[in-house]
Amino acid sequence: MTPVSRTEAHRVFADLYRKTRTPEHQQLIDEAILKSNDVFIRIDLIRKVDEDYENKNKPKKEENRDRGLPEKEQPRREVISRPSTPEPKPKRSSDLVTIDSAKQKQNPGRKKSNEQKQGGGLLAGLFGGGNNANSSIAKFAKETGTIDIGLFGRNPSISNNVEKIFRGLKEDVLIPTIQALRVSEQQGWRIWTPLVYNIINNFNKFFNAFASLDALILDKISADIFLERSLKMQMFYVRFLQRDDAKDIILSNLPDIVKMDDKLTPKLNKIMEGVNYALGLENNKPKLSDAITAFYIVAKKKMFTWPEIVTDLRVPPIQEHKFQAAREIQKEVEITVAKISDDINTRTFKKEELQNLRSRYFSIDDKGKISFDFLNQVVDDYMAHHMPESAKSQTVKNSYKSQPHRLVYLLLRDLQTVYVNLIEGYVRLGDKNQNQELLIIQPGLFRNEIDQLNSLVRTIDNFNKKFPSFQYSFQQYGMDNSTGNAAGDQIAGTIVQALQEASEFFGSFAGKLNIIIENHLMAKVTESKGKANDKIASTKDKVIEEVKIAQRFIPHYDKAVVAKERINGMKVEDVFMQFTKYLYNYAVIFKDPTTTSKLTAHRKIEQELIKLNKEYERLTYSTFHKDSGNPDPEPTGSSSENESNVANDGSDSEDES
């Protein structure tokens, strides 16, 4: 009979496969059907094997008859006492009386002896008595519903109940569930810890392997072939069952990844239906573990238990601290960790730089308020040397300190007279009795800053002379600077623009000098550790010719300055530090946005570092250590074959089915 439909073909295949055969004959059948998954081809393969086997094992009498020889001329042979295995026929009540049973009737003593050997005879075979293995199998079959014992319990087979387990998912549920689990494999590492990812990814591999077995069940293949084809499914399932928290973790986290995908979100209910079906395979009867056990029992013809199978599979547990994923995903994780490490190092360095700037150049109290008390000394010193006696009253001093256009002029002039010489040409260093003129900065290196300083002094001096009675407060300047309202007032607009230029000048000038300070401090630290080389040591008396980040000393930093101004007697190092401090504070006083942001930027960086460190800890399950880079990677392979089959499943194309 040639089947005309695939449904009919599966029925024909099942009937052919279930024919009673000798073990040798059945092994040939099992080997043949491995050559193709197509049910029509498998039918042809079985028929061909049956035909070849029957031809090979024909009795000689039949062979001679086939050759056309007369029966009397056929060679004599001994009669075979054991009949060949007949084709299965519809069972009738008369069929139960076999040749053996007839012989036993003629020889009751032999029948009794056989019953004793078999452990109870016919009734014992039917009801599970006698042989312990048969009794255990019969009990397992009754309790689980996974095995059909058959007549006398001699030919157990897989129950139809097992088929229902593997064919319980409809296509409209199966496909979106597979899609969602695949997305979780590709993208889940971006939001989950290694443990959560590994549990869900293991479930993904199990679900795909489980879903692919429905075709094998439909084809009614032998238990041996099923066990061979389902090995990875078994291992993934064992790993799933090893974690009591696996179900809760999957249900709590998988919807998150689905909701991140616009195409999958509308299918969430179907996806969770498929997920819950797979998660409940151990809650229904028969259990999946019982079904797998049944295949082992039928294939090996002896009793097995699920714990014995788990022990024999030797499945390694799910890793908790390292992503178990395909190689390309592991590479993405490594690249991401490296980038996060760089970001943490960069922000940590920037945070330390800002903290140094705050602590080195500003006086900030616990409430974050900056103190500008040093201005009193600057104003008093300038007025004492450059103002007439009539202008030295406290009222005049207060007037200068309270009006930005007057104060900025005084501060710019103070920089000209006290500090500019330090960076413009030769500086007298030593003491009153013994000193020498030396260069610290190459002339012209700060030409732009000096020219801008002189230009600002002229601009603001001209404004103050042109409008000597102009009254303007810091409060008003703050409002005009932030809102731009001064544009409608020609006089106020002019001075606001000049003050803004001055604030930017103070900030940029301070930043340039700060590089010199940073270089100097780094060189001192290196020297204190005994690591300074000749190149660094030579900079102690070598003129600064360029401003760039590099370890070098401020030339003659430990020598005292000889001058008429208030810096007289101060060491070169301290003068540079004070010069830079004043510039930074002036920039804040006159609202330079760049400098002001440096005083508050550490807060934003701290928040960024908290997030980056959490992300680093999520991906690596370790705490980030500065300049340590990534932690030593764990080996991705394993000496165990089972470990390579399960832990590195992402690289196996079969697992992607």
PDB file of all heavy atoms in Angstrom, residues 336-352:
ATOM      1  N   THR A 336      32.135  45.676  25.874  1.00  0.00           N
ATOM      2  CA  THR A 336      31.368  46.589  26.727  1.00  0.00           C
ATOM      3  C   THR A 336      32.067  46.803  28.060  1.00  0.00           C
ATOM      4  O   THR A 336      32.150  47.933  28.561  1.00  0.00           O
ATOM      5  CB  THR A 336      29.954  46.033  26.953  1.00  0.00           C
ATOM      6  OG1 THR A 336      29.309  45.848  25.687  1.00  0.00           O
ATOM      7  CG2 THR A 336      29.123  46.990  27.800  1.00  0.00           C
ATOM      8  N   VAL A 337      32.574  45.725  28.650  1.00  0.00           N
ATOM      9  CA  VAL A 337      33.290  45.838  29.930  1.00  0.00           C
ATOM     10  C   VAL A 337      34.532  46.701  29.774  1.00  0.00           C
ATOM     11  O   VAL A 337      34.838  47.534  30.637  1.00  0.00           O
ATOM     12  CB  VAL A 337      33.662  44.434  30.462  1.00  0.00           C
ATOM     13  CG1 VAL A 337      34.622  44.541  31.643  1.00  0.00           C
ATOM     14  CG2 VAL A 337      32.413  43.679  30.882  1.00  0.00           C
ATOM     15  N   ALA A 338      35.254  46.526  28.657  1.00  0.00           N
ATOM     16  CA  ALA A 338      36.450  47.332  28.421  1.00  0.00           C
ATOM     17  C   ALA A 338      36.110  48.816  28.292  1.00  0.00           C
ATOM     18  O   ALA A 338      36.810  49.677  28.837  1.00  0.00           O
ATOM     19  CB  ALA A 338      37.166  46.843  27.158  1.00  0.00           C
ATOM     20  N   LYS A 339      35.010  49.116  27.593  1.00  0.00           N
ATOM     21  CA  LYS A 339      34.594  50.512  27.438  1.00  0.00           C
ATOM     22  C   LYS A 339      34.173  51.116  28.778  1.00  0.00           C
ATOM     23  O   LYS A 339      34.515  52.261  29.095  1.00  0.00           O
ATOM     24  CB  LYS A 339      33.443  50.610  26.441  1.00  0.00           C
ATOM     25  CG  LYS A 339      33.014  52.052  26.147  1.00  0.00           C
ATOM     26  CD  LYS A 339      31.873  52.093  25.149  1.00  0.00           C
ATOM     27  CE  LYS A 339      31.516  53.537  24.805  1.00  0.00           C
ATOM     28  NZ  LYS A 339      31.150  54.328  25.994  1.00  0.00           N
ATOM     29  N   ILE A 340      33.426  50.330  29.556  1.00  0.00           N
ATOM     30  CA  ILE A 340      33.010  50.818  30.871  1.00  0.00           C
ATOM     31  C   ILE A 340      34.231  51.082  31.746  1.00  0.00           C
ATOM     32  O   ILE A 340      34.286  52.075  32.481  1.00  0.00           O
ATOM     33  CB  ILE A 340      32.065  49.809  31.538  1.00  0.00           C
ATOM     34  CG1 ILE A 340      30.722  49.777  30.796  1.00  0.00           C
ATOM     35  CG2 ILE A 340      31.831  50.157  33.007  1.00  0.00           C
ATOM     36  CD1 ILE A 340      29.781  48.699  31.279  1.00  0.00           C
ATOM     37  N   SER A 341      35.223  50.211  31.666  1.00  0.00           N
ATOM     38  CA  SER A 341      36.454  50.401  32.442  1.00  0.00           C
ATOM     39  C   SER A 341      37.130  51.710  32.066  1.00  0.00           C
ATOM     40  O   SER A 341      37.570  52.468  32.934  1.00  0.00           O
ATOM     41  CB  SER A 341      37.407  49.224  32.209  1.00  0.00           C
ATOM     42  OG  SER A 341      36.821  48.010  32.620  1.00  0.00           O
ATOM     43  N   ASP A 342      37.200  51.969  30.766  1.00  0.00           N
ATOM     44  CA  ASP A 342      37.804  53.229  30.306  1.00  0.00           C
ATOM     45  C   ASP A 342      37.001  54.428  30.799  1.00  0.00           C
ATOM     46  O   ASP A 342      37.577  55.440  31.226  1.00  0.00           O
ATOM     47  CB  ASP A 342      37.883  53.251  28.775  1.00  0.00           C
ATOM     48  CG  ASP A 342      38.918  52.276  28.233  1.00  0.00           C
ATOM     49  OD1 ASP A 342      39.806  51.866  29.017  1.00  0.00           O
ATOM     50  OD2 ASP A 342      38.846  51.919  27.051  1.00  0.00           O
ATOM     51  N   ASP A 343      35.672  54.320  30.718  1.00  0.00           N
ATOM     52  CA  ASP A 343      34.819  55.421  31.172  1.00  0.00           C
ATOM     53  C   ASP A 343      34.994  55.672  32.668  1.00  0.00           C
ATOM     54  O   ASP A 343      35.024  56.827  33.120  1.00  0.00           O
ATOM     55  CB  ASP A 343      33.354  55.119  30.864  1.00  0.00           C
ATOM     56  CG  ASP A 343      33.043  55.185  29.376  1.00  0.00           C
ATOM     57  OD1 ASP A 343      33.872  55.745  28.632  1.00  0.00           O
ATOM     58  OD2 ASP A 343      31.995  54.676  28.963  1.00  0.00           O
ATOM     59  N   ILE A 344      35.097  54.606  33.434  1.00  0.00           N
ATOM     60  CA  ILE A 344      35.280  54.763  34.885  1.00  0.00           C
ATOM     61  C   ILE A 344      36.623  55.426  35.176  1.00  0.00           C
ATOM     62  O   ILE A 344      36.710  56.352  35.993  1.00  0.00           O
ATOM     63  CB  ILE A 344      35.183  53.402  35.598  1.00  0.00           C
ATOM     64  CG1 ILE A 344      33.745  52.876  35.524  1.00  0.00           C
ATOM     65  CG2 ILE A 344      35.611  53.532  37.062  1.00  0.00           C
ATOM     66  CD1 ILE A 344      33.577  51.488  36.111  1.00  0.00           C
ATOM     67  N   ASN A 345      37.671  54.955  34.488  1.00  0.00           N
ATOM     68  CA  ASN A 345      38.996  55.550  34.708  1.00  0.00           C
ATOM     69  C   ASN A 345      39.016  57.022  34.322  1.00  0.00           C
ATOM     70  O   ASN A 345      39.576  57.861  35.030  1.00  0.00           O
ATOM     71  CB  ASN A 345      40.057  54.783  33.908  1.00  0.00           C
ATOM     72  CG  ASN A 345      40.516  53.516  34.611  1.00  0.00           C
ATOM     73  OD1 ASN A 345      40.640  53.488  35.831  1.00  0.00           O
ATOM     74  ND2 ASN A 345      40.759  52.470  33.849  1.00  0.00           N
ATOM     75  N   THR A 346      38.388  57.337  33.174  1.00  0.00           N
ATOM     76  CA  THR A 346      38.365  58.725  32.701  1.00  0.00           C
ATOM     77  C   THR A 346      37.622  59.621  33.680  1.00  0.00           C
ATOM     78  O   THR A 346      38.096  60.708  34.039  1.00  0.00           O
ATOM     79  CB  THR A 346      37.697  58.800  31.313  1.00  0.00           C
ATOM     80  OG1 THR A 346      38.444  58.000  30.390  1.00  0.00           O
ATOM     81  CG2 THR A 346      37.649  60.240  30.820  1.00  0.00           C
ATOM     82  N   ARG A 347      36.461  59.177  34.104  1.00  0.00           N
ATOM     83  CA  ARG A 347      35.662  59.998  35.029  1.00  0.00           C
ATOM     84  C   ARG A 347      36.297  60.080  36.414  1.00  0.00           C
ATOM     85  O   ARG A 347      36.194  61.106  37.090  1.00  0.00           O
ATOM     86  CB  ARG A 347      34.244  59.432  35.110  1.00  0.00           C
ATOM     87  CG  ARG A 347      33.400  59.809  33.895  1.00  0.00           C
ATOM     88  CD  ARG A 347      32.136  58.976  33.812  1.00  0.00           C
ATOM     89  NE  ARG A 347      31.262  59.444  32.755  1.00  0.00           N
ATOM     90  CZ  ARG A 347      31.466  59.228  31.463  1.00  0.00           C
ATOM     91  NH1 ARG A 347      32.538  58.560  31.068  1.00  0.00           N
ATOM     92  NH2 ARG A 347      30.624  59.692  30.545  1.00  0.00           N
ATOM     93  N   THR A 348      36.927  59.001  36.828  1.00  0.00           N
ATOM     94  CA  THR A 348      37.616  59.041  38.119  1.00  0.00           C
ATOM     95  C   THR A 348      38.752  60.048  38.090  1.00  0.00           C
ATOM     96  O   THR A 348      38.937  60.825  39.041  1.00  0.00           O
ATOM     97  CB  THR A 348      38.163  57.646  38.476  1.00  0.00           C
ATOM     98  OG1 THR A 348      37.078  56.715  38.537  1.00  0.00           O
ATOM     99  CG2 THR A 348      38.873  57.667  39.814  1.00  0.00           C
ATOM    100  N   PHE A 349      39.501  60.050  36.991  1.00  0.00           N
ATOM    101  CA  PHE A 349      40.594  61.024  36.846  1.00  0.00           C
ATOM    102  C   PHE A 349      40.039  62.445  36.824  1.00  0.00           C
ATOM    103  O   PHE A 349      40.588  63.352  37.468  1.00  0.00           O
ATOM    104  CB  PHE A 349      41.369  60.744  35.556  1.00  0.00           C
ATOM    105  CG  PHE A 349      42.452  61.750  35.274  1.00  0.00           C
ATOM    106  CD1 PHE A 349      43.681  61.677  35.912  1.00  0.00           C
ATOM    107  CD2 PHE A 349      42.246  62.787  34.364  1.00  0.00           C
ATOM    108  CE1 PHE A 349      44.686  62.603  35.653  1.00  0.00           C
ATOM    109  CE2 PHE A 349      43.230  63.714  34.101  1.00  0.00           C
ATOM    110  CZ  PHE A 349      44.456  63.621  34.751  1.00  0.00           C
ATOM    111  N   LYS A 350      38.933  62.625  36.085  1.00  0.00           N
ATOM    112  CA  LYS A 350      38.334  63.960  36.006  1.00  0.00           C
ATOM    113  C   LYS A 350      37.806  64.395  37.364  1.00  0.00           C
ATOM    114  O   LYS A 350      37.971  65.572  37.755  1.00  0.00           O
ATOM    115  CB  LYS A 350      37.191  63.932  34.981  1.00  0.00           C
ATOM    116  CG  LYS A 350      36.587  65.309  34.695  1.00  0.00           C
ATOM    117  CD  LYS A 350      37.599  66.229  34.021  1.00  0.00           C
ATOM    118  CE  LYS A 350      36.987  67.572  33.675  1.00  0.00           C
ATOM    119  NZ  LYS A 350      37.981  68.487  33.073  1.00  0.00           N
ATOM    120  N   LYS A 351      37.208  63.481  38.091  1.00  0.00           N
ATOM    121  CA  LYS A 351      36.691  63.809  39.417  1.00  0.00           C
ATOM    122  C   LYS A 351      37.829  64.215  40.349  1.00  0.00           C
ATOM    123  O   LYS A 351      37.718  65.198  41.099  1.00  0.00           O
ATOM    124  CB  LYS A 351      35.942  62.602  39.988  1.00  0.00           C
ATOM    125  CG  LYS A 351      35.406  62.815  41.394  1.00  0.00           C
ATOM    126  CD  LYS A 351      34.771  61.542  41.932  1.00  0.00           C
ATOM    127  CE  LYS A 351      34.369  61.715  43.388  1.00  0.00           C
ATOM    128  NZ  LYS A 351      33.817  60.475  43.965  1.00  0.00           N
ATOM    129  N   GLU A 352      38.926  63.464  40.317  1.00  0.00           N
ATOM    130  CA  GLU A 352      40.072  63.804  41.162  1.00  0.00           C
ATOM    131  C   GLU A 352      40.656  65.157  40.771  1.00  0.00           C
ATOM    132  O   GLU A 352      41.068  65.947  41.624  1.00  0.00           O
ATOM    133  CB  GLU A 352      41.137  62.711  41.039  1.00  0.00           C
ATOM    134  CG  GLU A 352      40.725  61.389  41.665  1.00  0.00           C
ATOM    135  CD  GLU A 352      41.753  60.298  41.431  1.00  0.00           C
ATOM    136  OE1 GLU A 352      42.719  60.545  40.667  1.00  0.00           O
ATOM    137  OE2 GLU A 352      41.593  59.199  42.000  1.00  0.00           O
TER     138      GLU A 352
END
